[in-house]
Each structure stands twice: as C-alpha cells, then as structure tokens.
Amino acid sequence: MKSIHCLFSFIFLFILSLSAFAQPQSGNSLLRGSISYSNEGGSGPLASTQNLTTANIGIYFGKYINEKVNAGLGIGYILDESLNTSIDRIGNLIYSTRDQQFGLIEPFVNVHSPISNKLYFNSGISAALFRNLENSYTMFDQMVFAYQPGLYYFATDRLTLIANFGRIYYSTFNITSSSKSNTVGIDLSTETFSIGVQLLFGKKASEKTE
C-alpha cells in the first residue's frame, strides 16, 4: 500500500512541474479507471483476531456537460477477504477464511471547483448498486447513495490524476429476501481512499472556437 502511494506521489509531483494549461471542455468524453486497497484488523473475544482485506477496481465512462460538471456510469469489481484466528480451549490455533466477490454498477455526477488553473476540488455524487456474485437474494444486495470529496489534477488536455477520500452515505442492505438494514453515516476508512487516472476525448482547450 505504501509503495502504491509513493509511486502515485512521484507521478503526481512530476506532472505538476509541467506548464501546459489544461481544462476539460463541454462535450468531452471521459474514460476513468480507479483502484483502492485496504487492510484492516482488530481483536475479538478470547484472544481472537479479525483481518479484512478489500480490493476494488472500477472503470467509468461519461461526458462533460460543461467545463466543471461531468456525468456517466461506472462498473466495478470488489473482492473482500476475511481471515479470523482464534484459540480453542486446549490452546490450538484455529484459522478460518472467507472470500466474497461483488459486482458494482454506479451512476455518477462530478462537480469541480477550481483551486488553481489545474487543480480542482471535486464533489462526487453517486448511487452504487452492489450484487454478491456468489450468493444473492435479490437483483441487488445493496444500494449506496454517497457524497465523496476528492481532488482532480488536469495535467494535460487529455490526462487527469484523481484522488478520492472519505464519504458521507446512505446505505440500504438486503440481509435476506424479506429483511433490510438501512444506515446513514460518515466513512473515513481506508476502503474509501482511492487513486485513479482519467483520459479525455474530444475537443482540446486549444481548439475551442471563440
């Protein structure tokens, strides 16, 4: 995880040194990819431990409505892997693992607010639909409406670097076919931190007609 952050920081600072002004144009199409990885652990009763690893890969397609607003649709794949350890009454160490795979469909809208010529604060709004790929009671197991802040750095007319962090959300989860759980909260876990790259297609800023 640290190596990924170091690599991204190096690329970010290198491109930051470029002087070309970049800005998306109305009508530009976008293709964005993002990744996130988290590993969280904790202690339970009777010297037991729990460790949860989550990896998330997403691809997003969309269009700029104007220079500061884009909208589109994303698809993603999520892998959750949990490892639990415990000690039985005679001192034997017991391991148990569980893997879950999820598919994701996510309509989104992003609104950029300029910080500098190239760096923008982003307000992302999305409605994510999750489905357990191995065992599902309904068409979608979970729906999450979320606001997620982030930073967009428009390095060139075609390339954008993205970092997202934290979220405010409302979630409805189908526990069984007839039972649901609803949650509202603020999530600052490492799972909500992601980095990504966005490519723009269409008219460049230098080609804009006056």
Side-chain angles (χ1 to χ4, degrees), residues 19-34:
S19 59
F21 177 74
Q23 188 177 23
Q25 301 299 306
S26 176
N28 281 163
S29 298
L30 67 89
L31 172 63
R32 184 171 81 244
S34 68

Side-chain angles (χ1 to χ4, degrees), residues 120-193:
Y120 286 70
F121 178 81
N122 184 66
S123 296
I125 302 171
S126 63
L129 303 171
F130 297 84
R131 179 177 173 83
N132 190 318
L133 299 179
E134 299 172 347
N135 183 22
S136 182
Y137 294 103
T138 60
M139 183 63 181
F140 292 103
D141 301 285
Q142 186 178 17
M143 179 180 294
V144 178
F145 297 94
Y147 165 80
Q148 184 171 44
L151 294 174
Y152 273 50
Y153 181 73
F154 293 93
T156 72
D157 286 312
R158 299 301 189 195
L159 176 66
T160 309
L161 302 181
I162 300 170
N164 293 313
F165 39 84
R167 65 176 181 172
I168 301 173
Y169 70 94
Y170 166 78
S171 170
T172 177
F173 180 73
N174 295 314
I175 301 174
T176 66
S177 58
S178 59
S179 177
K180 292 185 178 181
S181 173
N182 300 316
T183 307
V184 177
I186 298 175
D187 187 358
L188 298 177
S189 67
T190 55
E191 185 180 347
T192 66
F193 287 69

